Amino acid sequence: MDYRRTYVRDLFAATPGTEISVFGWVKTRRDSKGISFVQVSDGSCFRDFQVVVPAGAIPDAELAKVSTGACVRFDGTIVESPAALQAVELSATGLEVFGEADPQTYPLQKKGASFEFLREIAHLRARGNTFGAVFRVRAQAAQAINEFFHHRGFHYIHTPIITASDAEGAGAMFQVTTALEANAPLEAPDGHFSYRLKTVNPSDDFFGRPAYLTVSGQLNAETLAMGMTNVYTFGPTFRAENSSTSRHLAEFWMVEPEMAFCDLEGDMNLAEEFLKEVIGNVLDHCGDDLAFFNQRIEPQLLTTLDHVVNSPFERLTYTEAVAMLEASGENFEFPVAWGIDLQSEHERWLTDVKVGRPVILTDYPKEIKAFYMRANDDGRTVRAMDVLAPRIGEIIGGSQREERLGHLEARIDEAGLPRAAYSWYLDLRRYGSAPHAGFGLGFERLLMYITGMKNIRDVIPYHRTSGNAEF
Ligand code: 4AD
Ligand code: MG
């Protein structure tokens, strides 16, 4: 057995008469007049392949093991299919059952399971239609992202996952420590190990200082951009936000380009080009998967995605958006006033009701944005930009960075952050500073947008959220 063989996705074009084997998991089996019809899927594509077992072709005792969820290899001959949905099928002459799946207990039975239930059996859900499609789209989108940057000469860099400085200055971090001792007796649920924190001086802890899981690779990416011009990082980031919403994860993947000699205008241009190209790439490569989402998950999905690819994003300042929201006559749960952090109801009104396309908002009040964003001359706003997508809200957050040493020091002090922890970051402004800009795309938010899936927990194989680290 070798990975170099024919996959289900290749079988639909196989020539009748070809002797071939079909590897995969049984989706369904139907018997009629001694003939068995078995749908086999290997996850290589959305569709499954029909195997027909003529009466007597395979001993009954072996065939009895072929039930939903079983893992099999059918050997046989490709023949023309009378079925409407496919041109060819396999007429089976041989069978190997690699693994049976007891129909009494197999949790992933044919239909109707809710996404909540499937989350509880996340280790099996990749075999179903929906999650196979989600994870194929995820793989294709990741590939498209790398291609997008590669074609534009961005260097792919890797920023650390463990860090000692808070990139966002927002303090929603997970601490990393080895200052632990085993708890006795074990108190954790389900027999997992449990530890107790030891009181140690931070200098005695593993890294000799408090360390955390990164919330963003941006600050490190900036250091490489200040030498390599255009870079991007694409990796996991962590936030201990206790917001149990359908759009927040504690562990999510972020794509972060950083560009020297670039201002906010250039940053917005990149973000818009980027979203259009990545979505366009998935439309080109995942047609069957997207057709399924369009039919079963989000009506009008394909129309919306086409529209996004083909029409310019709306660009507004925060101040203009607030004025529109105030004039909207809508009865928002959170009242709108200049200075507030926009809530998702406000973002959705702008994107879904007012504009009907993605909207880029710029120049936010400095109080609601991170310390590193470049100050505008008005003294009140910073060169921030958020890309808001219909249905999802914020999908990208970015900015032109403050490149002036004095301004940045003042902002760090104002935000109550320790200057010493950012000394290396300040060095970038001290030596050979350059105007620069970048953004962060929440990869799972993009996937929600592309697939129409409503809960962010359903676009990542294993979600980490407050109260959940199963699997
Ligand atoms: O807007 P954010 O916080 O920006 C940054 O972290 C910048 N340092 C990025 C940069 O300029 N290099 O986060 C960026 C994006 C958000 O727009 C959102 O899509 C996503 O990350 N995001 C989350 N996705 C899932 N779960 C969470 N808890 C998220 N928090 C942010
Ligand atoms: Mg943001």
Side-chain angles (χ1 to χ4, degrees), residues 167-168 215-219 237 239 241 243 247-258 369 372 386-387 394-399 401 438-446 456:
E168 290 302 292
V215 297
S216 158
Q218 177 194 324
L219 305 194
T237 51
R239 294 193 187 178
E241 290 168 309
S243 46
R247 305 181 311 140
H248 288 87
L249 291 168
E251 174 179 298
F252 63 100
W253 284 64
M254 213 193 314
V255 181
E256 297 181 275
E258 191 68 35
K369 287 292 179 190
Y372 51 71
D386 278 5
V387 181
E394 180 188 339
I395 192 166
I396 284 180
S399 61
R401 320 304 190 189
F439 65 73
L441 163 88
F443 187 48
E444 286 76 19
R445 299 251 177 111
L446 174 68
I456 198 164

mmCIF file of all heavy atoms in Angstrom, residues 167-168 215-219 237 239 241 243 247-258 369 372 386-387 394-399 401 438-446 456, ligand 1:
data_model
loop_
_atom_site.group_PDB
_atom_site.id
_atom_site.type_symbol
_atom_site.label_atom_id
_atom_site.label_comp_id
_atom_site.label_asym_id
_atom_site.label_seq_id
_atom_site.Cartn_x
_atom_site.Cartn_y
_atom_site.Cartn_z
ATOM 1 N N ALA A 167 1.715 41.637 22.913
ATOM 2 C CA ALA A 167 1.723 42.374 21.649
ATOM 3 C C ALA A 167 0.556 43.350 21.537
ATOM 4 O O ALA A 167 0.676 44.398 20.928
ATOM 5 C CB ALA A 167 1.681 41.402 20.473
ATOM 6 N N GLU A 168 -0.569 43.000 22.108
ATOM 7 C CA GLU A 168 -1.726 43.880 21.980
ATOM 8 C C GLU A 168 -1.873 44.807 23.183
ATOM 9 O O GLU A 168 -2.684 45.730 23.166
ATOM 10 C CB GLU A 168 -3.003 43.062 21.804
ATOM 11 C CG GLU A 168 -3.094 42.371 20.457
ATOM 12 C CD GLU A 168 -3.007 43.349 19.302
ATOM 13 O OE1 GLU A 168 -3.933 44.137 19.118
ATOM 14 O OE2 GLU A 168 -1.978 43.353 18.597
ATOM 15 N N VAL A 215 -0.295 36.446 21.772
ATOM 16 C CA VAL A 215 -1.615 36.858 21.265
ATOM 17 C C VAL A 215 -1.525 37.320 19.816
ATOM 18 O O VAL A 215 -2.549 37.530 19.166
ATOM 19 C CB VAL A 215 -2.254 37.994 22.108
ATOM 20 C CG1 VAL A 215 -2.516 37.521 23.534
ATOM 21 C CG2 VAL A 215 -1.391 39.249 22.108
ATOM 22 N N SER A 216 -0.296 37.510 19.320
ATOM 23 C CA SER A 216 -0.087 38.003 17.954
ATOM 24 C C SER A 216 1.401 37.961 17.673
ATOM 25 O O SER A 216 2.207 38.249 18.553
ATOM 26 C CB SER A 216 -0.599 39.449 17.840
ATOM 27 O OG SER A 216 0.009 40.111 16.745
ATOM 28 N N GLY A 217 1.749 37.612 16.432
ATOM 29 C CA GLY A 217 3.170 37.595 16.067
ATOM 30 C C GLY A 217 3.664 38.956 15.581
ATOM 31 O O GLY A 217 4.814 39.094 15.153
ATOM 32 N N GLN A 218 2.800 39.951 15.647
ATOM 33 C CA GLN A 218 3.094 41.234 15.004
ATOM 34 C C GLN A 218 4.418 41.873 15.403
ATOM 35 O O GLN A 218 5.194 42.293 14.546
ATOM 36 C CB GLN A 218 1.960 42.223 15.281
ATOM 37 C CG GLN A 218 2.235 43.592 14.694
ATOM 38 C CD GLN A 218 1.295 44.644 15.241
ATOM 39 O OE1 GLN A 218 0.136 44.351 15.480
ATOM 40 N NE2 GLN A 218 1.776 45.853 15.434
ATOM 41 N N LEU A 219 4.669 41.980 16.708
ATOM 42 C CA LEU A 219 5.862 42.738 17.118
ATOM 43 C C LEU A 219 7.120 42.079 16.585
ATOM 44 O O LEU A 219 8.041 42.748 16.112
ATOM 45 C CB LEU A 219 5.917 42.889 18.639
ATOM 46 C CG LEU A 219 4.694 43.507 19.339
ATOM 47 C CD1 LEU A 219 5.031 43.911 20.764
ATOM 48 C CD2 LEU A 219 4.111 44.679 18.580
ATOM 49 N N THR A 237 -2.357 31.582 17.572
ATOM 50 C CA THR A 237 -2.269 32.630 18.579
ATOM 51 C C THR A 237 -3.313 32.326 19.651
ATOM 52 O O THR A 237 -4.254 31.563 19.402
ATOM 53 C CB THR A 237 -2.529 34.018 17.967
ATOM 54 O OG1 THR A 237 -3.742 33.956 17.228
ATOM 55 C CG2 THR A 237 -1.413 34.453 17.043
ATOM 56 N N ARG A 239 -5.712 33.618 23.091
ATOM 57 C CA ARG A 239 -6.285 34.704 23.888
ATOM 58 C C ARG A 239 -7.197 34.146 24.965
ATOM 59 O O ARG A 239 -8.094 33.359 24.686
ATOM 60 C CB ARG A 239 -7.061 35.677 23.004
ATOM 61 C CG ARG A 239 -6.089 36.365 22.066
ATOM 62 C CD ARG A 239 -6.641 37.550 21.348
ATOM 63 N NE ARG A 239 -5.621 37.975 20.379
ATOM 64 C CZ ARG A 239 -5.759 38.969 19.537
ATOM 65 N NH1 ARG A 239 -6.887 39.670 19.542
ATOM 66 N NH2 ARG A 239 -4.788 39.282 18.703
ATOM 67 N N GLU A 241 -9.595 35.339 26.342
ATOM 68 C CA GLU A 241 -10.829 36.115 26.417
ATOM 69 C C GLU A 241 -11.928 35.177 26.861
ATOM 70 O O GLU A 241 -12.136 34.137 26.261
ATOM 71 C CB GLU A 241 -11.206 36.660 25.031
ATOM 72 C CG GLU A 241 -10.280 37.729 24.550
ATOM 73 C CD GLU A 241 -10.478 38.041 23.070
ATOM 74 O OE1 GLU A 241 -10.479 37.107 22.251
ATOM 75 O OE2 GLU A 241 -10.616 39.217 22.756
ATOM 76 N N SER A 243 -14.936 35.395 26.441
ATOM 77 C CA SER A 243 -16.195 35.625 25.743
ATOM 78 C C SER A 243 -16.606 34.367 25.001
ATOM 79 O O SER A 243 -15.954 33.938 24.062
ATOM 80 C CB SER A 243 -16.060 36.796 24.779
ATOM 81 O OG SER A 243 -14.867 36.674 24.050
ATOM 82 N N ARG A 247 -17.878 33.610 17.735
ATOM 83 C CA ARG A 247 -16.803 34.148 16.899
ATOM 84 C C ARG A 247 -15.448 34.191 17.594
ATOM 85 O O ARG A 247 -14.486 34.724 17.050
ATOM 86 C CB ARG A 247 -17.153 35.576 16.449
ATOM 87 C CG ARG A 247 -18.491 35.693 15.739
ATOM 88 C CD ARG A 247 -18.753 37.113 15.301
ATOM 89 N NE ARG A 247 -18.508 38.024 16.406
ATOM 90 C CZ ARG A 247 -17.917 39.213 16.287
ATOM 91 N NH1 ARG A 247 -17.497 39.628 15.113
ATOM 92 N NH2 ARG A 247 -17.748 39.974 17.345
ATOM 93 N N HIS A 248 -15.368 33.672 18.826
ATOM 94 C CA HIS A 248 -14.112 33.731 19.580
ATOM 95 C C HIS A 248 -13.602 32.346 19.956
ATOM 96 O O HIS A 248 -14.348 31.516 20.448
ATOM 97 C CB HIS A 248 -14.292 34.533 20.873
ATOM 98 C CG HIS A 248 -14.444 36.003 20.642
ATOM 99 N ND1 HIS A 248 -15.655 36.577 20.383
ATOM 100 C CD2 HIS A 248 -13.524 36.995 20.625
ATOM 101 C CE1 HIS A 248 -15.488 37.880 20.207
ATOM 102 N NE2 HIS A 248 -14.205 38.168 20.339
ATOM 103 N N LEU A 249 -12.311 32.152 19.745
ATOM 104 C CA LEU A 249 -11.631 30.951 20.204
ATOM 105 C C LEU A 249 -10.508 31.374 21.147
ATOM 106 O O LEU A 249 -10.019 32.508 21.055
ATOM 107 C CB LEU A 249 -11.016 30.207 19.014
ATOM 108 C CG LEU A 249 -11.981 29.557 18.023
ATOM 109 C CD1 LEU A 249 -11.230 29.128 16.766
ATOM 110 C CD2 LEU A 249 -12.679 28.368 18.670
ATOM 111 N N ALA A 250 -10.091 30.465 22.010
ATOM 112 C CA ALA A 250 -8.931 30.752 22.853
ATOM 113 C C ALA A 250 -7.646 30.455 22.082
ATOM 114 O O ALA A 250 -6.586 31.007 22.368
ATOM 115 C CB ALA A 250 -8.992 29.926 24.133
ATOM 116 N N GLU A 251 -7.739 29.551 21.098
ATOM 117 C CA GLU A 251 -6.606 29.247 20.216
ATOM 118 C C GLU A 251 -7.099 29.405 18.792
ATOM 119 O O GLU A 251 -8.027 28.709 18.387
ATOM 120 C CB GLU A 251 -6.134 27.815 20.460
ATOM 121 C CG GLU A 251 -5.058 27.349 19.503
ATOM 122 C CD GLU A 251 -4.601 25.917 19.817
ATOM 123 O OE1 GLU A 251 -4.088 25.679 20.915
ATOM 124 O OE2 GLU A 251 -4.795 25.047 18.967
ATOM 125 N N PHE A 252 -6.549 30.362 18.076
ATOM 126 C CA PHE A 252 -6.961 30.551 16.685
ATOM 127 C C PHE A 252 -5.734 30.863 15.842
ATOM 128 O O PHE A 252 -4.667 31.160 16.358
ATOM 129 C CB PHE A 252 -8.015 31.662 16.559
ATOM 130 C CG PHE A 252 -7.532 33.036 16.981
ATOM 131 C CD1 PHE A 252 -7.129 33.970 16.023
ATOM 132 C CD2 PHE A 252 -7.486 33.402 18.308
ATOM 133 C CE1 PHE A 252 -6.691 35.235 16.400
ATOM 134 C CE2 PHE A 252 -7.040 34.668 18.702
ATOM 135 C CZ PHE A 252 -6.641 35.581 17.744
ATOM 136 N N TRP A 253 -5.917 30.754 14.542
ATOM 137 C CA TRP A 253 -4.784 30.964 13.624
ATOM 138 C C TRP A 253 -4.877 32.346 13.011
ATOM 139 O O TRP A 253 -5.954 32.784 12.611
ATOM 140 C CB TRP A 253 -4.779 29.872 12.552
ATOM 141 C CG TRP A 253 -4.272 28.574 13.099
ATOM 142 C CD1 TRP A 253 -4.858 27.829 14.089
ATOM 143 C CD2 TRP A 253 -3.069 27.901 12.744
ATOM 144 N NE1 TRP A 253 -4.093 26.720 14.357
ATOM 145 C CE2 TRP A 253 -2.988 26.737 13.547
ATOM 146 C CE3 TRP A 253 -2.052 28.142 11.829
ATOM 147 C CZ2 TRP A 253 -1.924 25.831 13.451
ATOM 148 C CZ3 TRP A 253 -1.005 27.238 11.729
ATOM 149 C CH2 TRP A 253 -0.943 26.097 12.534
ATOM 150 N N MET A 254 -3.733 33.009 12.960
ATOM 151 C CA MET A 254 -3.732 34.363 12.410
ATOM 152 C C MET A 254 -2.700 34.486 11.297
ATOM 153 O O MET A 254 -1.618 33.917 11.385
ATOM 154 C CB MET A 254 -3.432 35.387 13.508
ATOM 155 C CG MET A 254 -4.164 36.694 13.259
ATOM 156 S SD MET A 254 -3.681 38.127 14.204
ATOM 157 C CE MET A 254 -3.536 37.597 15.852
ATOM 158 N N VAL A 255 -3.068 35.203 10.255
ATOM 159 C CA VAL A 255 -2.163 35.513 9.141
ATOM 160 C C VAL A 255 -1.758 36.967 9.316
ATOM 161 O O VAL A 255 -2.617 37.841 9.357
ATOM 162 C CB VAL A 255 -2.888 35.368 7.786
ATOM 163 C CG1 VAL A 255 -1.935 35.667 6.637
ATOM 164 C CG2 VAL A 255 -3.512 33.999 7.650
ATOM 165 N N GLU A 256 -0.465 37.232 9.439
ATOM 166 C CA GLU A 256 -0.029 38.596 9.708
ATOM 167 C C GLU A 256 1.085 39.052 8.758
ATOM 168 O O GLU A 256 2.252 38.743 8.968
ATOM 169 C CB GLU A 256 0.454 38.709 11.162
ATOM 170 C CG GLU A 256 -0.647 38.444 12.170
ATOM 171 C CD GLU A 256 -0.165 38.591 13.601
ATOM 172 O OE1 GLU A 256 0.377 37.614 14.150
ATOM 173 O OE2 GLU A 256 -0.309 39.687 14.162
ATOM 174 N N PRO A 257 0.720 39.791 7.716
ATOM 175 C CA PRO A 257 1.747 40.405 6.877
ATOM 176 C C PRO A 257 2.239 41.705 7.520
ATOM 177 O O PRO A 257 1.490 42.365 8.240
ATOM 178 C CB PRO A 257 1.010 40.707 5.569
ATOM 179 C CG PRO A 257 -0.418 40.839 5.963
ATOM 180 C CD PRO A 257 -0.636 40.004 7.188
ATOM 181 N N GLU A 258 3.476 42.026 7.256
ATOM 182 C CA GLU A 258 4.046 43.288 7.754
ATOM 183 C C GLU A 258 4.923 43.860 6.644
ATOM 184 O O GLU A 258 5.720 43.132 6.055
ATOM 185 C CB GLU A 258 4.871 43.012 9.019
ATOM 186 C CG GLU A 258 5.291 44.247 9.781
ATOM 187 C CD GLU A 258 4.118 44.992 10.443
ATOM 188 O OE1 GLU A 258 3.164 44.331 10.898
ATOM 189 O OE2 GLU A 258 4.164 46.227 10.478
ATOM 190 N N LYS A 369 -7.808 51.409 20.754
ATOM 191 C CA LYS A 369 -6.902 50.632 19.903
ATOM 192 C C LYS A 369 -5.544 50.436 20.579
ATOM 193 O O LYS A 369 -5.218 51.115 21.552
ATOM 194 C CB LYS A 369 -6.725 51.331 18.548
ATOM 195 C CG LYS A 369 -7.970 51.217 17.666
ATOM 196 C CD LYS A 369 -8.191 49.775 17.203
ATOM 197 C CE LYS A 369 -9.434 49.596 16.344
ATOM 198 N NZ LYS A 369 -9.763 48.190 16.091
ATOM 199 N N TYR A 372 0.531 50.531 19.588
ATOM 200 C CA TYR A 372 1.543 50.659 18.530
ATOM 201 C C TYR A 372 1.024 51.361 17.272
ATOM 202 O O TYR A 372 1.737 51.483 16.282
ATOM 203 C CB TYR A 372 2.078 49.269 18.151
ATOM 204 C CG TYR A 372 0.972 48.277 17.848
ATOM 205 C CD1 TYR A 372 0.211 48.385 16.688
ATOM 206 C CD2 TYR A 372 0.660 47.229 18.727
ATOM 207 C CE1 TYR A 372 -0.817 47.505 16.418
ATOM 208 C CE2 TYR A 372 -0.370 46.340 18.464
ATOM 209 C CZ TYR A 372 -1.102 46.492 17.318
ATOM 210 O OH TYR A 372 -2.122 45.627 17.040
ATOM 211 N N ASP A 386 -9.990 48.263 10.313
ATOM 212 C CA ASP A 386 -10.631 46.963 10.526
ATOM 213 C C ASP A 386 -11.414 46.641 9.273
ATOM 214 O O ASP A 386 -12.126 47.503 8.758
ATOM 215 C CB ASP A 386 -11.621 47.013 11.701
ATOM 216 C CG ASP A 386 -10.934 46.855 13.059
ATOM 217 O OD1 ASP A 386 -9.696 46.802 13.106
ATOM 218 O OD2 ASP A 386 -11.667 46.799 14.068
ATOM 219 N N VAL A 387 -11.268 45.422 8.781
ATOM 220 C CA VAL A 387 -12.124 44.981 7.682
ATOM 221 C C VAL A 387 -13.308 44.236 8.295
ATOM 222 O O VAL A 387 -13.114 43.266 9.040
ATOM 223 C CB VAL A 387 -11.380 44.066 6.693
ATOM 224 C CG1 VAL A 387 -12.310 43.655 5.553
ATOM 225 C CG2 VAL A 387 -10.134 44.750 6.156
ATOM 226 N N GLU A 394 -15.809 41.864 12.354
ATOM 227 C CA GLU A 394 -14.376 42.058 12.133
ATOM 228 C C GLU A 394 -13.700 40.771 11.694
ATOM 229 O O GLU A 394 -13.756 39.754 12.373
ATOM 230 C CB GLU A 394 -13.718 42.572 13.419
ATOM 231 C CG GLU A 394 -12.225 42.794 13.228
ATOM 232 C CD GLU A 394 -11.496 43.114 14.533
ATOM 233 O OE1 GLU A 394 -12.138 43.544 15.499
ATOM 234 O OE2 GLU A 394 -10.267 42.918 14.552
ATOM 235 N N ILE A 395 -13.021 40.851 10.567
ATOM 236 C CA ILE A 395 -12.320 39.668 10.038
ATOM 237 C C ILE A 395 -10.821 39.960 9.988
ATOM 238 O O ILE A 395 -9.990 39.077 10.151
ATOM 239 C CB ILE A 395 -12.941 39.293 8.665
ATOM 240 C CG1 ILE A 395 -12.516 37.931 8.158
ATOM 241 C CG2 ILE A 395 -12.671 40.329 7.617
ATOM 242 C CD1 ILE A 395 -13.378 37.450 7.004
ATOM 243 N N ILE A 396 -10.475 41.262 9.793
ATOM 244 C CA ILE A 396 -9.083 41.699 9.766
ATOM 245 C C ILE A 396 -8.956 42.925 10.657
ATOM 246 O O ILE A 396 -9.826 43.798 10.653
ATOM 247 C CB ILE A 396 -8.648 42.074 8.326
ATOM 248 C CG1 ILE A 396 -8.412 40.817 7.474
ATOM 249 C CG2 ILE A 396 -7.398 42.964 8.327
ATOM 250 C CD1 ILE A 396 -7.989 41.115 6.038
ATOM 251 N N GLY A 397 -7.859 42.977 11.424
ATOM 252 C CA GLY A 397 -7.526 44.193 12.163
ATOM 253 C C GLY A 397 -6.097 44.573 11.819
ATOM 254 O O GLY A 397 -5.202 43.722 11.855
ATOM 255 N N GLY A 398 -5.864 45.821 11.448
ATOM 256 C CA GLY A 398 -4.502 46.219 11.087
ATOM 257 C C GLY A 398 -4.271 47.681 11.349
ATOM 258 O O GLY A 398 -5.154 48.392 11.841
ATOM 259 N N SER A 399 -3.072 48.124 10.987
ATOM 260 C CA SER A 399 -2.763 49.546 11.200
ATOM 261 C C SER A 399 -1.445 49.914 10.527
ATOM 262 O O SER A 399 -0.634 49.045 10.210
ATOM 263 C CB SER A 399 -2.640 49.860 12.693
ATOM 264 O OG SER A 399 -1.601 49.102 13.276
ATOM 265 N N ARG A 401 1.954 51.480 11.641
ATOM 266 C CA ARG A 401 2.586 51.434 12.961
ATOM 267 C C ARG A 401 3.219 52.782 13.296
ATOM 268 O O ARG A 401 3.689 53.502 12.400
ATOM 269 C CB ARG A 401 3.644 50.337 13.009
ATOM 270 C CG ARG A 401 3.292 49.025 12.307
ATOM 271 C CD ARG A 401 2.003 48.402 12.803
ATOM 272 N NE ARG A 401 1.842 47.028 12.269
ATOM 273 C CZ ARG A 401 0.747 46.318 12.387
ATOM 274 N NH1 ARG A 401 -0.339 46.827 12.955
ATOM 275 N NH2 ARG A 401 0.697 45.083 11.909
ATOM 276 N N GLY A 438 0.789 46.806 8.660
ATOM 277 C CA GLY A 438 0.475 45.382 8.522
ATOM 278 C C GLY A 438 -0.914 45.107 9.052
ATOM 279 O O GLY A 438 -1.615 46.016 9.493
ATOM 280 N N PHE A 439 -1.297 43.843 8.996
ATOM 281 C CA PHE A 439 -2.611 43.488 9.545
ATOM 282 C C PHE A 439 -2.622 42.048 10.023
ATOM 283 O O PHE A 439 -1.684 41.289 9.772
ATOM 284 C CB PHE A 439 -3.729 43.748 8.530
ATOM 285 C CG PHE A 439 -3.708 42.902 7.273
ATOM 286 C CD1 PHE A 439 -4.068 41.560 7.290
ATOM 287 C CD2 PHE A 439 -3.350 43.470 6.045
ATOM 288 C CE1 PHE A 439 -4.069 40.790 6.131
ATOM 289 C CE2 PHE A 439 -3.351 42.707 4.868
ATOM 290 C CZ PHE A 439 -3.710 41.367 4.920
ATOM 291 N N GLY A 440 -3.675 41.706 10.724
ATOM 292 C CA GLY A 440 -3.880 40.318 11.145
ATOM 293 C C GLY A 440 -5.243 39.853 10.668
ATOM 294 O O GLY A 440 -6.250 40.523 10.892
ATOM 295 N N LEU A 441 -5.250 38.713 9.978
ATOM 296 C CA LEU A 441 -6.515 38.107 9.566
ATOM 297 C C LEU A 441 -6.799 36.931 10.495
ATOM 298 O O LEU A 441 -5.939 36.059 10.669
ATOM 299 C CB LEU A 441 -6.422 37.564 8.137
ATOM 300 C CG LEU A 441 -7.538 36.563 7.791
ATOM 301 C CD1 LEU A 441 -8.774 37.278 7.266
ATOM 302 C CD2 LEU A 441 -7.072 35.486 6.834
ATOM 303 N N GLY A 442 -7.974 36.895 11.081
ATOM 304 C CA GLY A 442 -8.388 35.722 11.855
ATOM 305 C C GLY A 442 -8.799 34.630 10.872
ATOM 306 O O GLY A 442 -9.827 34.728 10.213
ATOM 307 N N PHE A 443 -7.965 33.581 10.776
ATOM 308 C CA PHE A 443 -8.173 32.556 9.740
ATOM 309 C C PHE A 443 -9.538 31.876 9.900
ATOM 310 O O PHE A 443 -10.238 31.631 8.919
ATOM 311 C CB PHE A 443 -7.034 31.536 9.826
ATOM 312 C CG PHE A 443 -7.022 30.516 8.715
ATOM 313 C CD1 PHE A 443 -7.153 30.895 7.389
ATOM 314 C CD2 PHE A 443 -6.849 29.154 9.000
ATOM 315 C CE1 PHE A 443 -7.131 29.945 6.367
ATOM 316 C CE2 PHE A 443 -6.819 28.212 7.992
ATOM 317 C CZ PHE A 443 -6.965 28.599 6.677
ATOM 318 N N GLU A 444 -9.934 31.604 11.129
ATOM 319 C CA GLU A 444 -11.228 30.933 11.331
ATOM 320 C C GLU A 444 -12.400 31.851 10.981
ATOM 321 O O GLU A 444 -13.447 31.392 10.527
ATOM 322 C CB GLU A 444 -11.367 30.413 12.760
ATOM 323 C CG GLU A 444 -10.516 29.165 13.055
ATOM 324 C CD GLU A 444 -9.053 29.469 13.238
ATOM 325 O OE1 GLU A 444 -8.737 30.664 13.499
ATOM 326 O OE2 GLU A 444 -8.227 28.550 13.121
ATOM 327 N N ARG A 445 -12.230 33.165 11.201
ATOM 328 C CA ARG A 445 -13.304 34.081 10.805
ATOM 329 C C ARG A 445 -13.462 34.056 9.282
ATOM 330 O O ARG A 445 -14.571 34.066 8.749
ATOM 331 C CB ARG A 445 -12.987 35.503 11.268
ATOM 332 C CG ARG A 445 -12.844 35.637 12.779
ATOM 333 C CD ARG A 445 -13.999 36.383 13.399
ATOM 334 N NE ARG A 445 -13.869 36.424 14.841
ATOM 335 C CZ ARG A 445 -13.605 37.520 15.551
ATOM 336 N NH1 ARG A 445 -13.446 38.680 14.940
ATOM 337 N NH2 ARG A 445 -13.520 37.471 16.863
ATOM 338 N N LEU A 446 -12.332 34.014 8.579
ATOM 339 C CA LEU A 446 -12.389 33.925 7.117
ATOM 340 C C LEU A 446 -13.102 32.640 6.699
ATOM 341 O O LEU A 446 -13.936 32.639 5.786
ATOM 342 C CB LEU A 446 -10.974 33.954 6.524
ATOM 343 C CG LEU A 446 -10.894 33.717 5.013
ATOM 344 C CD1 LEU A 446 -11.516 34.897 4.247
ATOM 345 C CD2 LEU A 446 -9.459 33.504 4.544
ATOM 346 N N ILE A 456 -17.741 29.404 15.117
ATOM 347 C CA ILE A 456 -16.295 29.308 14.865
ATOM 348 C C ILE A 456 -15.725 27.967 15.342
ATOM 349 O O ILE A 456 -14.712 27.496 14.815
ATOM 350 C CB ILE A 456 -15.564 30.511 15.511
ATOM 351 C CG1 ILE A 456 -14.168 30.702 14.908
ATOM 352 C CG2 ILE A 456 -15.510 30.388 17.031
ATOM 353 C CD1 ILE A 456 -13.542 32.067 15.201
HETATM 354 O O1 4AD B 1 -7.577 42.829 15.687
HETATM 355 P P1 4AD B 1 -6.565 41.938 16.315
HETATM 356 O O2 4AD B 1 -6.558 41.842 17.785
HETATM 357 O O3 4AD B 1 -5.178 42.438 15.741
HETATM 358 C C1 4AD B 1 -3.951 41.996 16.112
HETATM 359 O O4 4AD B 1 -3.724 41.093 16.872
HETATM 360 C C2 4AD B 1 -2.851 42.701 15.383
HETATM 361 N N1 4AD B 1 -1.602 42.508 16.164
HETATM 362 C C3 4AD B 1 -2.723 42.140 13.991
HETATM 363 C C4 4AD B 1 -1.646 42.811 13.187
HETATM 364 O O5 4AD B 1 -1.787 43.974 12.865
HETATM 365 N N2 4AD B 1 -0.599 42.098 12.828
HETATM 366 O O6 4AD B 1 -6.748 40.463 15.736
HETATM 367 C C5 4AD B 1 -6.671 40.236 14.347
HETATM 368 C C6 4AD B 1 -7.825 39.344 13.899
HETATM 369 C C7 4AD B 1 -9.213 39.908 14.179
HETATM 370 O O7 4AD B 1 -9.589 40.814 13.187
HETATM 371 C C8 4AD B 1 -10.055 38.660 14.180
HETATM 372 O O8 4AD B 1 -10.359 38.260 12.855
HETATM 373 C C9 4AD B 1 -9.112 37.628 14.754
HETATM 374 O O9 4AD B 1 -7.795 38.114 14.615
HETATM 375 N N3 4AD B 1 -9.387 37.358 16.170
HETATM 376 C C10 4AD B 1 -9.940 36.223 16.634
HETATM 377 N N4 4AD B 1 -10.371 35.136 16.004
HETATM 378 C C11 4AD B 1 -10.887 34.146 16.756
HETATM 379 N N5 4AD B 1 -10.965 34.172 18.104
HETATM 380 C C12 4AD B 1 -10.518 35.259 18.792
HETATM 381 N N6 4AD B 1 -10.572 35.271 20.114
HETATM 382 C C13 4AD B 1 -9.980 36.360 18.047
HETATM 383 N N7 4AD B 1 -9.462 37.551 18.382
HETATM 384 C C14 4AD B 1 -9.091 38.137 17.232
#
